[in-house]
Amino acid sequence: MDARAILSRLRRGEHLTPAEIGWFADGLASDAVSDAQAGAFAMAMCLSPRTEEERIALTLAMRDSGTVLDWDLPGPVLDKHSTGGVGDCVSLLLAPAMAALGTFVPMVSGRGLGHTGGTLDKLESIPGLSTEIDEDRFRAITAEAGCAIVAASEHTAPADRRLYAVRDVTSTVESIDLICASILSKKLAAGLDALVLDVKVGSGAFMKTMEDAVDLAEALVDTANGAGCPSSALITDMNQPCVPAVGNALEVMEVMEALTCGDTGGLLCDLTGDLGGEMLRLAGMADTRAEGAEMVLQVIASGAAAERFGRMVSAMGGPGDFVDRWRDRLGSARVIQAVPAPEAGYLSAIDGEMLGNAVVRLGGGRMRSGDRIDPSVGLSDIALLGDPVDAGAPLAIIHADSDKAAEHAADVLSRAFTVSPDVPDLPPTVYRSVG
Ligand code: URA
């Protein structure tokens, strides 16, 4: 077998066998396939959709191009993946809650991508904490704390690492087949018993229409199930941030408030309950998602999830007293400035992508790979959809490193909020489930 023969078959519109796909994935990992050949492969995938069998074969082959973990733990090994949004810090609350319920969550997570924030960047706003840890420590922390949120190592699906870099520069990211294989190869390499996918739709998500979100959710669920990992997806709303904050340390503060205040009201806890409830249902620990959600909210309210979070933070190099002293431990920005409402009325729309991009520009995300992130900048006190607002009242508070950066953000954000005279219809937290 060789790359040219496989690429010729793709050019003629033919379908590939699992053996050919496996050969190509191995070649990506071992450099037997050149960048030019990887680019041609990715473009062929974009131009001509694959069968479900081919997508499953690509997922398994990319997963098996690196280390696949197996576990011997006294509970199911579960995970959740979100397709990305703004102010989406659910993983930081969900992982310790699931750990407190006796499940294990070895969560391989990502950094900020485009206008969306990354769980790893958020967690690393905790002083001393590093998410770049080796496999032995990943295993030990998962076993001891019940959860660990870490970066993919060089041994995790190396074929995807190589192909993703090529896709990034050949305009071939937007293929459902490649997106599914990329996301799932890394997730399934963690040796999961079940996976729940949070497919976000709305102004702050990559998927702006319900049709696109359903297509992606169905493809992800079918592929994961076909690859042997019981999975389902929830299609959830991303027309407003999951917490009234966007920015790394500012989102951690919202999570810490939820973990320590004993009150489980609000969007973050609703969504965490739904996703965790679905994980418990898939694992056979709850009969319905709603029953599972109750269990999740109970361990958040009781402080059991906070205790797990504290264990994970300290094992990953963060302060041992973080859960008690988080207000003192997280940095704050030098300049604070409000975004005033242009007129009185009700907040009826938020352009989530604009919010996310404004935070990237403030230094809370990367303009180029390798950029340093400022964990303290971002937005807080963001008004919720449907909130009544007075003219001039703050719709959000900007946290910036300089007056100039704050002014620029205020200018951009003056166009990100729509205030209307009538009370708007509010979106549900979960639109529907798939699988
Ligand atoms: N995230 C990934 O890991 N891969 C993709 O292709 C898209 C988003």
Side-chain angles (χ1 to χ4, degrees):
M1 231 176 271
D2 68 275
R4 285 175 55 166
I6 292 171
L7 291 170
S8 303
R9 273 168 52 69
L10 285 173
R11 193 192 64 238
R12 292 195 295 270
E14 293 169 9
H15 290 288
L16 300 181
T17 64
E20 287 168 320
I21 289 172
W23 186 93
F24 207 91
D26 284 348
L28 285 167
S30 69
D31 280 350
V33 165
S34 71
D35 273 358
Q37 290 166 334
F41 180 85
M43 188 58 83
M45 296 278 153
C46 285
L47 296 178
S48 138
R50 300 289 101 197
T51 63
E52 192 179 312
E53 287 68 32
E54 285 173 291
R55 200 193 300 137
I56 293 168
L58 183 61
T59 303
L60 290 172
M62 295 215 299
R63 179 197 71 179
D64 295 342
S65 67
T67 309
V68 181
L69 300 182
D70 57 2
W71 302 92
D72 182 16
L73 293 168
V77 178
L78 309 176
D79 199 359
K80 180 267 318 183
H81 175 81
S82 159
T83 56
V86 292
D88 178 3
C89 44
V90 165
S91 294
L92 300 181
L93 184 59
L94 178 63
M98 296 305 291
L101 286 161
T103 78
F104 293 86
V105 184
M107 189 179 272
V108 176
S109 224
R111 300 203 176 270
L113 183 67
H115 67 278
T116 67
T119 300
L120 301 180
D121 297 326
K122 293 170 199 185
L123 202 49
E124 286 182 357
S125 61
I126 298 175
L129 186 149
S130 171
T131 60
E132 311 265 347
I133 60 177
D134 65 26
E135 186 190 317
D136 286 348
R137 282 190 60 219
F138 182 31
R139 285 178 165 284
I141 297 168
T142 303
E144 199 281 316
C147 58
I149 302 177
V150 304
S153 85
E154 60 185 312
H155 306 296
T156 310
D160 174 63
R161 182 180 289 250
R162 176 100 190 286
L163 190 59
Y164 195 86
V166 170
R167 287 166 64 205
D168 201 21
V169 293
T170 53
S171 201
T172 52
V173 171
E174 283 86 357
S175 143
I176 284 217
D177 296 320
L178 293 177
I179 291 173
C180 283
S182 171
I183 290 173
L184 293 174
S185 59
K186 290 179 292 239
K187 281 285 168 187
L188 302 191
L192 306 179
D193 293 321
L195 172 67
V196 169
L197 296 143
D198 178 9
V199 177
K200 301 223 163 275
V201 61
S203 71
F206 289 110
M207 298 292 152
K208 306 286 190 224
T209 68
M210 185 57 77
E211 198 187 345
D212 286 347
V214 170
D215 283 351
L216 179 61
E218 287 177 346
L220 283 165
V221 168
D222 291 346
T223 309
N225 282 329
C229 179
S231 299
S232 63
L234 299 186
I235 300 188
T236 67
D237 182 69
M238 188 22 78
N239 286 299
Q240 60 184 335
C242 304
V243 287
V246 184
N248 296 297
L250 293 165
E251 289 181 48
V252 172
M253 289 178 197
E254 295 290 337
V255 171
M256 294 316 299
E257 193 70 48
L259 280 169
T260 57
C261 75
D263 172 6
T264 54
L267 194 51
L268 174 65
C269 285
D270 281 356
L271 193 51
T272 305
D274 275 315
L275 291 163
E278 185 64 12
M279 289 161 81
L280 293 173
R281 188 188 71 77
L282 273 186
M285 293 172 66
D287 286 336
T288 61
R289 183 169 95 221
E291 183 190 313
E294 284 290 314
M295 293 161 69
V296 172
L297 296 183
Q298 202 271 324
V299 290
I300 294 173
S302 72
E307 193 272 329
R308 294 296 178 140
F309 189 81
R311 276 201 230 176
M312 175 181 77
V313 165
S314 135
M316 292 175 70
D321 60 356
F322 187 72
V323 170
D324 300 318
R325 304 279 308 275
W326 57 273
R327 284 178 213 277
D328 311 328
R329 300 287 187 201
L330 292 166
S332 52
R334 287 196 296 158
V335 179
I336 303 291
Q337 182 173 329
V339 182
E343 59 207 330
Y346 296 90
L347 183 60
S348 58
I350 300 175
D351 187 326
E353 192 164 336
M354 243 186 217
L355 258 54
N357 281 327
V359 173
V360 172
R361 278 293 295 263
L362 283 167
R366 296 177 187 82
M367 306 283 277
R368 281 175 302 272
S369 78
D371 278 356
R372 263 177 68 89
I373 280 194
D374 181 344
S376 62
V377 300
L379 308 173
S380 70
D381 302 86
I382 302 170
L384 292 174
L385 291 178
D387 277 357
V389 292
D390 293 327
L395 291 171
I397 304 289
I398 299 166
H399 299 242
D401 186 45
S402 68
D403 290 328
K404 192 169 159 219
E407 280 304 329
H408 180 268
D411 182 43
V412 170
L413 292 167
S414 65
R415 296 185 289 280
F417 297 93
T418 307
V419 176
S420 305
D422 300 319
V423 184
D425 288 338
L426 297 181
T429 310
V430 177
Y431 289 100
R432 54 171 284 196
S433 61
V434 173

